[in-house]
């Protein structure tokens, strides 16, 4: 299978706008099969922290994800509003790393992300708490089976990573892997090739 968009090993230089390339690599926001991405933050203890989240949406304003307001990642982002997102395509041997500042997502975008979630993920947003995790299996099954309230979970919040740096990586079956790294400057984006 051939991946869409400019290839990191192509002889022609990359597009001037990395968000154009990210759009070619990522599925459309309407695609129900949302990419799973690794969200890395700075832990409140100073150590790196990482977990997998769904990429809710992507546009010129950044890369959005949504979570519970009571989650550890929200506390970490309140302390240090910076994060890295890593998107991996194992079948295509491609990877995109996005580093940037994190801002709250707007209510309209959060509502759209909620509407796009599966029934299971909506129920998870309502019930996935430390209290539930502490119950025995019978108690967790009973609570889960009780159903889900109507509407968006009270704890549902969204964030958007506004990129300062994007790095596109690709393997090659007959040569060394290679990266192209874009960095935002006051005048726009600059890029350079980096070792894979």
């Amino acid at each position: 299978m051939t991946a869409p968009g400019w290839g990191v090993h192509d002889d022609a230089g990359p597009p001037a706008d990395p968000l154009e390339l990210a759009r070619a690599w990522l599925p459309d926001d309407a695609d129900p099969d949302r990419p799973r991405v690794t969200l890395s933050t700075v832990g409140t203890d100073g150590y790196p922290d990482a977990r997998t989240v769904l990429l809710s949406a992507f546009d010129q304003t950044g890369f959005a994800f949504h979570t519970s307001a009571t989650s550890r990642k929200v506390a970490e982002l309140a302390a240090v509003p910076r994060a890295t997102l890593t998107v991996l395509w194992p079948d295509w041997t491609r990877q995109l790393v996005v580093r940037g500042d994190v801002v709250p997502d707007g209510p309209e975008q959060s509502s759209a992300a909620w509407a796009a979630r599966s029934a299971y993920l909506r129920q998870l947003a309502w019930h996935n708490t430390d209290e539930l995790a502490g119950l025995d299996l019978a108690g967790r099954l009973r609570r889960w089976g009780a159903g889900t309230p109507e509407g968006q979970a009270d704890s549902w919040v969204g964030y958007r990573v506004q990129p300062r740096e994007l790095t596109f990586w690709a393997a090659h079956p007959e040569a060394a892997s290679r990266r192209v790294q874009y960095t935002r400057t006051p005048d726009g984006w600059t890029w350079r090739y980096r070792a894979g």
Side-chain angles (χ1 to χ4, degrees), residues 15-90:
D17 183 354
L19 299 180
E20 173 188 324
L21 182 53
R23 175 48 67 209
W25 280 29
L26 292 167
D28 186 82
D29 287 349
D31 188 329
D33 188 20
R34 303 306 308 140
R36 281 77 172 162
V37 302
T38 301
L39 170 69
S40 302
T41 55
V42 178
T44 55
D45 59 2
Y47 286 90
D49 201 357
R51 77 289 287 157
T52 302
V53 298
L54 288 179
L55 182 65
S56 300
F58 160 69
D59 61 24
Q60 292 298 113
T61 66
F63 298 76
F65 63 93
H66 292 77
T67 188
S68 169
T70 61
S71 67
R72 186 171 69 196
K73 62 182 110 28
V74 169
E76 293 169 350
L77 291 171
V80 181
R82 295 184 181 130
T84 297
L85 292 173
T86 305
V87 190
L88 178 65
W89 289 265

Side-chain angles (χ1 to χ4, degrees), residues 65-149:
F65 63 93
H66 292 77
T67 188
S68 169
T70 61
S71 67
R72 186 171 69 196
K73 62 182 110 28
V74 169
E76 293 169 350
L77 291 171
V80 181
R82 295 184 181 130
T84 297
L85 292 173
T86 305
V87 190
L88 178 65
W89 289 265
D91 294 343
W92 292 338
T93 60
R94 286 186 171 196
Q95 179 178 275
L96 168 61
V97 178
V98 180
R99 298 175 67 218
D101 300 306
V102 179
V103 298
D105 209 18
E108 186 175 309
Q109 291 88 346
S110 289
S111 293
W114 178 264
R117 287 293 198 263
S118 67
Y120 173 84
L121 290 177
R122 288 186 204 150
Q123 186 167 357
L124 191 65
W126 275 104
H127 295 297
N128 195 20
T129 63
D130 289 342
E131 178 192 357
L132 178 69
L135 298 177
D136 62 12
L137 179 58
R140 294 196 311 276
L141 291 172
R142 192 168 39 256
R143 181 81 58 88
W144 188 263
T148 304

